[in-house]
Structure formats: structure tokens, C-alpha cells
Amino acid sequence: MERTLILLKPDCVHRRLVGSIVHRFEQKGLRLAGMKLVQVSRGLAEQHYAVHKGKPFYESLLKFIVSGPTLALVLEGREAVAVARHLIGATDGAKAAPGTIRGDFALSVQNNLIHGSDSTDNAATEVALWFKPEELVTFQPVDSPWIVGG
Ligand code: IDP
Ligand code: MG
């Protein structure tokens, strides 16, 4: 079953939106495989956002990510990477479609509440960056046959 890495960024934790956002993923049928509250170090932020190094927003983004607590999650389920990206919505909160997390809760480009892996390859790399294997829990939700279907 596919896994994806989700980060609820410091704005999400400060704004007490963690419960509302985790609720959406649970409602969709994705399963929690890992969850922890992290005070992100500059080093971890640099590794996570390495692809954006050199871009005009890079320094500001790193400062934002280390500015407060981040809730890191691993979610698992059918097409978890794409499903989570659809639920999250476009990067710019002002342009994200209503009904998406950013569309409903964010107005900023940088402070857009949430990160979701953008490919299965990146998801595997990001899950390994943020979680030790023993921090991930495998179980079969009792309603799996209803959620996964035929
Ligand atoms: P994504 O989070 O939708 O995948 P990316 O392009 O990968 O978006 O950018 C990573 C993060 O960097 C965004 O979520 C946002 O916080 C920030 N960011 C992206 N573009 C800008 C920008 O133009 N100005 C300020 N911050 C940005
Ligand atoms: Mg991205």
C-alpha cells in the first residue's frame, strides 16, 4: 500500500488547525502510519527543501519551517500520494480550489499550512528522512474492505 509524507507546518499548529486537517485525511480513508510533533532543525529543513535551494523564497521558507512546531505524518492508502495532493490543493492558498485544505484555510503562498510528497519516489525519500522505521506502525483498519472496495 502506498505511503506519503505530510507535514502540518508551524502556521497550522499555531492556528490550531491540526485536528481539522487530520480529520480530512481520516475521512477520506487514508490510514495513519506515523505521527510526531517536531521542532525542525535548520539541517532537516535544508534536507527536506533541498530542491528549492537558490530560489528567491528559499531562505524565508526555511526560517518559517524552523519557527515553530511541525506535525509530521505518514499516511497510507490507495494512491496515497496523489490523493493527499488533491486534498491539499494548489500551492498558493489564494488560488487553491474551495474544498481543498489550502483553498479552505490558507491565503498565503508560503504559509500554506501543509506539505505533501509530490511523487512516490519522493515520498519514500521523505518518509525515510523524517521517520525511523520503528516509528511507523502497520495495522489493518477493521473497515479496510469497505474503504478499499473491489
Ligand atoms: P508545494 O508545497 O505545493 O509542493 P512547492 O513548489 O514544492 O509547493 O514549494 C514548497 C513550499 O515553498 C510551498 O509549500 C510554500 O510554503 C513555499 N513556496 C513555494 N513557492 C513560493 C513562493 O513563490 N513564495 C513564497 N513561498 C513559496
Ligand atoms: Mg513541493
Side-chain angles (χ1 to χ4, degrees):
M1 198 61 85
E2 197 168 292
R3 282 179 170 172
T4 190
L5 180 88
I6 301 294
L7 301 176
L8 302 188
K9 299 175 182 177
D11 54 338
C12 184
V13 180
H14 274 271
R15 291 176 58 195
R16 298 169 298 276
L17 290 171
V18 166
S20 302
I21 292 175
V22 172
H23 190 210
R24 291 186 173 211
F25 292 118
E26 288 194 303
Q27 282 179 314
K28 183 67 177 173
L30 295 176
R31 174 181 89 69
L32 281 169
M35 182 185 256
K36 62 179 173 184
L37 193 63
V38 184
Q39 175 54 60
V40 177
S41 66
R42 169 94 191 182
L44 177 57
E46 282 176 358
Q47 280 184 277
H48 179 76
Y49 281 125
V51 68
H52 296 300
K53 193 170 179 176
K55 293 185 185 168
F57 60 84
Y58 177 74
E59 277 305 324
S60 172
L61 175 62
L62 258 54
K63 212 171 142 191
F64 164 55
I65 292 298
V66 304
S67 70
T70 290
L71 191 83
L73 302 163
V74 177
L75 298 176
E76 189 176 279
R78 178 169 174 252
E79 298 199 38
V81 171
V83 166
R85 293 281 291 191
H86 281 131
L87 293 184
I88 289 168
T91 304
D92 183 348
K95 298 186 178 69
T100 65
I101 290 166
R102 287 167 173 164
D104 288 353
F105 297 114
L107 197 55
S108 166
V109 184
Q110 175 185 274
N111 298 10
N112 59 4
L113 297 167
I114 182 165
H115 165 85
S117 305
D118 63 6
S119 69
T120 52
D121 282 356
N122 285 341
T125 306
E126 291 176 359
V127 168
L129 177 64
W130 286 82
F131 286 86
K132 298 179 190 136
E134 63 268 26
E135 291 174 324
L136 299 176
V137 178
T138 300
F139 68 100
Q140 185 85 336
V142 292
D143 60 358
S144 283
W146 295 102
I147 296 289
V148 177

